[in-house]
Amino acid sequence: MAPLNQVPAWYPLRSVTQRIALTSVEQLPRIVPSLALTISTCGGLLAEVDGQSHKKNQSDAAVLIHKLKTQLSTLLQDKSREARWSAVVLVKAIIEAGGWSVLKESEKWVRPLLDLIGVSGFNDSQFWQSCLYTFLQRPEPATTKKLSILTLTRIFLLTQEHPTLIREITTPSLPTFIANCLRSFSDGKAGYSDSLLSSVLWAFGELLPHHPSAFRPFVGQIRKLVLPLLAPTPSDLPLDDATSDPTGHSVSETTIQRAQQVFVLVNGCAPKNAQSQEWAQAFSDLLEQTHETADL
């Protein structure tokens, strides 16, 4: 048996790919925490292997990284909710661990997969984003939607230090993300989760200061969403989990605070020469709504 100090650096990744391959999709959620933890320890390997090295150790690692990304891409498109949930968790883990090396273009690894689903021109992280956007539109469990929102937000935030990635990933993708998040709370919904709403508001609060122009077309919808949350009454919103709220309110205190933060930040979406008028209009609208509430 080889000494521990001679164990290849890529060995943990091989363990991850083997466990994914040998575990049924129904059982994947049980081992996902362990897999995510293992991936988080491989950040150095993910960062230094670019898939072009001819050194044996790095070549073996590149094969495993390619295999892992292929597995995640397949799981994201699986019919099973367990598989899709597991994929979102693991995508976030590899994005957090790999950073630039995962965010940057790596077309030679993912283009064959993109051809299978009829999509081209995306790099690895963009392909995963397109699958995550689908989760926001289909009747997925709230936990999967929340994890998708969290993962997408992290991708957008991680690109902030890389202007090229902002231009290639965040700028074209963010409007779709915002629209799909808002669509979850559009008129006609029978009810929705407070925790999902809180996650959306958290994402908006994180991204608004960095990308005010991307949020500008959605200012009206965002205001319509957050205004009832600034000081809600128990009957304001038909939330699915309202009865479980220990305070007896329809929305949690965390959601209220995040709504208040977004209400303030959204005024920064106005062009620089119109921000004062935007603030004045927002204050006027809020005052008018306060009077209307007091008159009831």
Side-chain angles (χ1 to χ4, degrees):
M1 182 176 178
L4 288 179
N5 58 2
Q6 294 182 12
V7 174
W10 46 259
Y11 190 84
L13 280 182
R14 188 179 74 170
S15 173
V16 171
T17 58
Q18 287 179 339
R19 294 181 71 186
I20 292 175
L22 296 174
T23 305
S24 66
V25 292
E26 292 78 14
Q27 296 299 318
L28 266 181
R30 295 176 179 271
I31 66 170
V32 158
S34 174
L35 298 180
L37 180 60
T38 301
I39 291 173
S40 70
T41 66
C42 300
L45 185 65
L46 290 167
E48 71 182 25
V49 176
D50 60 9
Q52 297 178 340
S53 175
H54 297 289
K55 295 181 180 179
K56 179 171 175 54
N57 284 343
Q58 289 201 357
S59 177
D60 291 340
V63 171
L64 287 170
I65 292 171
H66 167 72
K67 182 176 182 180
L68 177 59
K69 290 181 177 181
T70 301
Q71 288 176 319
L72 297 182
S73 301
T74 302
L75 288 173
L76 279 173
Q77 302 172 82
D78 196 274
K79 295 180 179 179
S80 165
R81 290 183 174 184
E82 292 87 352
R84 295 193 298 267
W85 181 90
S86 300
V88 176
V89 176
L90 296 179
V91 166
K92 183 178 184 299
I94 196 172
I95 289 291
E96 296 281 8
W100 162 258
S101 64
V102 178
L103 289 172
K104 71 176 183 179
E105 286 188 354
S106 48
E107 293 181 349
K108 63 177 178 290
W109 288 350
V110 299
R111 190 172 295 276
L113 297 174
L114 299 177
D115 291 341
L116 289 176
I117 61 172
V119 180
S120 61
F122 290 103
N123 61 29
D124 291 339
S125 60
Q126 287 174 302
F127 167 70
W128 289 332
Q129 289 175 55
S130 68
C131 295
L132 295 173
Y133 290 143
T134 303
F135 293 165
L136 298 179
Q137 296 175 9
R138 65 169 63 160
E140 289 288 333
T143 53
T144 304
K145 287 192 174 186
K146 287 164 53 182
L147 286 169
S148 298
I149 291 167
L150 176 61
T151 302
L152 288 165
T153 303
R154 286 298 297 151
I155 290 174
F156 296 146
L157 291 176
L158 287 171
T159 64
Q160 286 305 120
E161 299 179 1
H162 311 289
T164 300
L165 295 184
I166 293 177
R167 183 174 64 253
E168 295 179 354
I169 298 175
T170 304
T171 299
S173 303
L174 193 53
T176 303
F177 173 75
I178 300 168
N180 286 340
C181 285
L182 291 170
R183 193 173 295 118
S184 298
F185 308 101
S186 61
D187 291 340
K189 299 288 183 181
Y192 44 83
S193 165
D194 171 71
S195 58
L196 178 60
L197 176 58
S198 185
S199 297
V200 168
L201 294 175
W202 169 81
F204 286 2
E206 292 291 318
L207 296 170
L208 260 165
H210 300 291
H211 305 282
S213 59
F215 280 85
R216 191 172 300 153
F218 305 96
V219 167
Q221 292 174 264
I222 295 174
R223 283 205 177 117
K224 184 178 180 180
L225 175 65
V226 301
L227 272 174
L229 301 171
L230 299 182
T233 62
S235 59
D236 275 330
L237 293 172
L239 301 177
D240 290 338
D241 51 5
T243 56
S244 64
D245 187 351
T247 66
H249 294 294
S250 299
V251 290
S252 65
E253 186 63 30
T254 299
T255 301
I256 295 172
Q257 292 174 355
R258 289 175 176 175
Q260 293 168 345
Q261 179 190 22
V262 171
F263 178 76
V264 173
L265 290 174
V266 79
N267 294 291
C269 295
K272 291 184 178 180
N273 59 356
Q275 286 192 3
S276 59
Q277 295 94 319
E278 195 77 13
W279 273 101
Q281 185 61 49
F283 180 78
S284 176
D285 292 343
L286 181 60
L287 186 62
E288 181 179 352
Q289 187 177 56
T290 303
H291 282 301
E292 291 176 356
T293 302
D295 289 340
L296 293 179

